[in-house]
Amino acid sequence: ISKKIKGVKKISLDCYEVRGTVTIRDINRELDWNLPDTEASTIAGLILYESRTIPNVGQIFQFYNHKFEILEKKNNQIVLLKVTKIEK
């Protein structure tokens, strides 16, 4: 039985709304994903690290078989994003 992690809301199959502060470890454990957590501890940190940029709302990134869409930002912080697992 899956324990709900705070800040993750399922939208559809393999598609989730995730708060930027959610840790990668929690997401991996909860959704059985395999995102790397060596360079960043939160999902927002992973996007900042991988994109090497401060993303704008509406921007979409793709890495590690996932698509990340920035939904909400406050100052330079990613507040909310949509994460979709891409089947390989």
Side-chain angles (χ1 to χ4, degrees), residues 13-29:
L13 187 69
D14 286 335
C15 184
Y16 299 84
E17 233 175 53
V18 183
R19 299 203 72 75
T21 52
V22 175
T23 67
I24 296 166
R25 188 180 293 146
D26 280 351
I27 288 180
N28 285 341
R29 198 179 291 142

Side-chain angles (χ1 to χ4, degrees), residues 65-78:
N65 297 336
H66 290 74
K67 188 171 86 175
F68 302 85
E69 181 180 350
I70 311 303
L71 298 180
E72 193 185 320
K73 214 176 88 167
K74 189 176 179 186
N75 302 324
N76 285 336
Q77 279 188 313
I78 298 168

Side-chain angles (χ1 to χ4, degrees), residues 16-82:
Y16 299 84
E17 233 175 53
V18 183
R19 299 203 72 75
T21 52
V22 175
T23 67
I24 296 166
R25 188 180 293 146
D26 280 351
I27 288 180
N28 285 341
R29 198 179 291 142
E30 180 70 20
L31 305 178
D32 201 25
W33 288 357
N34 200 11
L35 297 170
D37 61 0
T38 48
E39 303 300 339
S41 59
T42 65
I43 196 78
L46 181 69
I47 290 171
L48 294 173
Y49 176 79
E50 287 300 330
S51 67
R52 307 251 188 268
T53 178
I54 307 281
N56 293 313
V57 170
Q59 262 190 291
I60 294 174
F61 301 95
Q62 219 171 294
F63 34 77
Y64 307 116
N65 297 336
H66 290 74
K67 188 171 86 175
F68 302 85
E69 181 180 350
I70 311 303
L71 298 180
E72 193 185 320
K73 214 176 88 167
K74 189 176 179 186
N75 302 324
N76 285 336
Q77 279 188 313
I78 298 168
V79 176
L80 192 65
L81 49 139
K82 186 164 87 177

